[in-house]
Amino acid sequence: MEVKWAQVSIKRRVVITGTGAVCPLGNDTDALQTAWLNSTVAFSPVAEFVDSNTSINLAAQVTDFNAEEFLPPKSLAGMGKASRFALAAAKEAIDKSGLLESNVCKSRIGVIMGVAIGDFSAIEQGYHDLFVASHPQVNPMTIPISMINAASAQVTMMFGFTGTSYTISTACSSSTHAIGEAARLISSGGADAVVCGGTDASICWGIWKGWESLRVMDPNGCTPFDLERGGMTLGEGAGILVLEDRDSALARGVEIFGEITGYSANADASHLILPNNNSIAACMEKALSNAVVDTKDVDFISAHATGTVQNDRTETAAIKQVFGGVSLCPPISATKSMHGHLMGAAGAVETIIGLQGLNLRLVPPTMGLNTSDPACDLDYVPNKARGIRGNYFLKNSFAFGGFNACLVVGSAIRAMDWR
């Protein structure tokens, strides 16, 4: 007989008191919000790949980002792009939260970061130095820059947070896992606040050629659920949230942007690359159960929606399993159609966009959707944001390896309910 384990319930309520972003749609959350409200698509050719041997040269890139505005040159020398993105986004989120202006105990503040690739370009440069240029040594900072926990470490050091801190690496679901585990840590009493989210700097030649070989990148740009779609658009950036015990946030009198009301994570245990609709459906159901939120109260779903045929069809089938058929499914938002696939940062940036939409009472749009795949027969909010009630949204993230994570997020108004 199979034993079914109970989902861990949130005991202390966990609210969002800060958000920060550096991504192709903008280098702070105000710019990010303005961009998606205007249905901006941030895809452009990669300049350094123009004369290279590649069949695809379209990415979602961070532009006009200058880490020297907030970091001394000496610090930058030992830090890659992923860490720089994370620090900038973390600074914005922490400034909004007012954590450093309050009488908080830094040993009760943790950092949990999601990273899929990290700063692989540092390793690439080392390979080039050794095997192409025949240098006898590589940059001594190669390992500190490229290690997968570099961004988490840099955030703890910059802000002096000494609580429970680590990095989660579950490919495309990394930062959704990071947010969920941060919520669990706070709800169980292990921390009073956690700086969480994700970062990645995946636009480098070796990673690019790896994705190209998998044949999952669309040369014309990511258009989830569209009949003519051809896959994802690779992106880069960071998304950071400050999560906090609700009682602590209320006592500090800070603005509360929303609430993490539910979280679930599971594994397909079936295939390294192909998603499984049954385990994806189970993950969504457990997150809703954990949140004690009925399907009819979900205003929209922030889909994983990479733009590949298999992923979009599987996610659509799983949503119908959970919500009970086409007519009962809420609207679906697929924002990778605007900012690309940010890998380790994807879930966090999408959670921030979803939260912005929830509080504005709008579903962020799915761009480039002109004719739906017949197997994708739900409401994907094509090309323009649409009004909603503004109660809860469900965030889906599904990764290679079969690692799934789902969040249920409540609006600022819902976070103030005395339930």
Side-chain angles (χ1 to χ4, degrees):
M1 183 179 69
E2 181 183 3
V3 177
K4 293 188 177 181
W5 298 94
Q7 191 71 10
V8 176
S9 296
I10 289 179
K11 298 173 184 177
R12 301 164 82 195
R13 291 178 64 179
V14 179
V15 296
I16 302 162
T17 56
T19 57
V22 172
C23 74
L25 289 177
N27 295 336
D28 57 56
T29 52
D30 287 342
L32 173 62
Q33 179 172 293
T34 297
W36 71 256
L37 282 171
N38 289 325
S39 301
T40 302
V41 176
F43 302 159
S44 62
V46 184
E48 55 264 42
F49 295 169
V50 169
D51 298 321
S52 301
N53 181 23
T54 178
S55 60
I56 298 169
N57 186 17
L58 193 69
Q61 302 168 81
V62 171
T63 59
D64 301 321
F65 174 72
N66 184 10
E68 293 180 358
E69 293 178 358
F70 63 94
L71 287 171
K74 186 177 180 180
S75 297
L76 292 172
M79 195 183 305
K81 283 173 67 176
S83 291
R84 297 177 189 189
F85 293 157
L87 284 173
K91 184 178 186 305
E92 181 189 4
I94 292 165
D95 285 349
K96 284 182 181 177
S97 73
L99 277 180
L100 297 182
E101 301 167 8
S102 305
N103 186 25
V104 295
C105 178
K106 289 188 175 181
S107 66
R108 296 284 298 165
I109 302 175
V111 176
I112 303 179
M113 201 71 66
V115 179
I117 302 296
D119 282 300
F120 192 82
S121 58
I123 297 176
E124 279 195 351
Q125 185 61 52
Y127 288 163
H128 180 275
D129 292 346
L130 284 174
F131 304 129
V132 178
S134 299
H135 290 176
Q137 293 180 318
V138 300
N139 183 339
M141 294 303 292
T142 298
I143 298 302
I145 289 173
S146 64
M147 62 187 189
I148 208 74
N149 66 327
S152 298
Q154 293 289 357
V155 172
T156 65
M157 291 186 290
M158 182 171 182
F159 299 102
F161 301 142
T162 59
T164 300
S165 300
Y166 54 93
T167 296
I168 293 175
S169 188
T170 52
C172 312
S173 60
S174 296
S175 58
T176 305
H177 276 110
I179 296 167
E181 294 303 325
R184 277 185 175 176
L185 183 64
I186 295 168
S187 70
S188 66
D192 294 329
V194 178
V195 178
C196 61
T199 188
D200 252 320
S202 304
I203 303 174
C204 56
W205 186 237
I207 298 299
W208 188 269
K209 293 299 286 184
W211 283 113
E212 183 186 62
S213 297
L214 276 174
R215 300 179 181 179
V216 293
M217 293 199 295
D218 191 326
N220 300 310
C222 178
T223 56
F225 307 110
D226 188 78
L227 182 62
E228 301 298 324
R229 71 195 183 281
M232 70 178 196
T233 298
L234 191 61
E236 62 184 357
I240 302 293
L241 296 86
V242 174
L243 304 189
E244 189 172 351
D245 168 50
R246 183 176 180 270
D247 290 343
S248 169
L250 290 173
R252 293 198 303 117
V254 297
E255 182 177 1
I256 291 174
F257 298 99
E259 180 177 9
I260 305 298
T261 61
Y263 164 60
S264 181
N266 68 4
D268 294 348
S270 58
H271 197 282
L272 193 64
I273 294 175
L274 298 179
N276 182 297
N277 62 286
N278 291 320
S279 59
I280 287 172
C283 195
M284 287 190 278
E285 287 172 345
K286 289 177 182 177
L288 290 167
S289 174
N290 180 227
V292 196
V293 169
D294 193 271
T295 54
K296 70 180 187 312
D297 294 321
V298 175
D299 290 315
F300 68 94
I301 297 170
S302 175
H304 186 58
T306 59
T308 65
V309 171
Q310 188 70 35
N311 182 281
D312 291 355
R313 289 180 176 179
T314 301
E315 187 167 10
T316 294
I319 290 168
K320 288 191 282 191
Q321 266 181 256
V322 173
F323 287 84
V326 174
S327 64
L328 298 174
C329 292
I332 296 163
S333 169
T335 63
K336 288 183 179 72
S337 60
M338 294 184 280
H339 55 66
H341 196 331
L342 307 184
M343 305 304 291
V349 170
E350 290 158 16
T351 297
I352 291 168
I353 293 173
L355 181 64
Q356 290 174 336
L358 198 65
N359 287 330
L360 291 170
R361 299 190 176 185
L362 291 170
V363 185
T366 299
M367 298 305 297
L369 178 53
N370 299 313
T371 303
S372 291
D373 177 348
C376 299
D377 54 355
L378 300 178
D379 176 7
Y380 305 107
V381 193
N383 302 310
K384 187 177 180 180
R386 184 192 307 158
I388 49 166
R389 296 168 299 177
N391 291 317
Y392 303 96
F393 78 93
L394 175 66
K395 172 76 209 107
N396 288 342
S397 291
F398 315 123
F400 277 7
F403 295 146
N404 309 312
C406 296
L407 300 169
V408 180
V409 183
S411 67
I413 292 173
R414 293 276 74 83
M416 299 309 295
D417 286 349
W418 291 97
R419 58 183 174 83

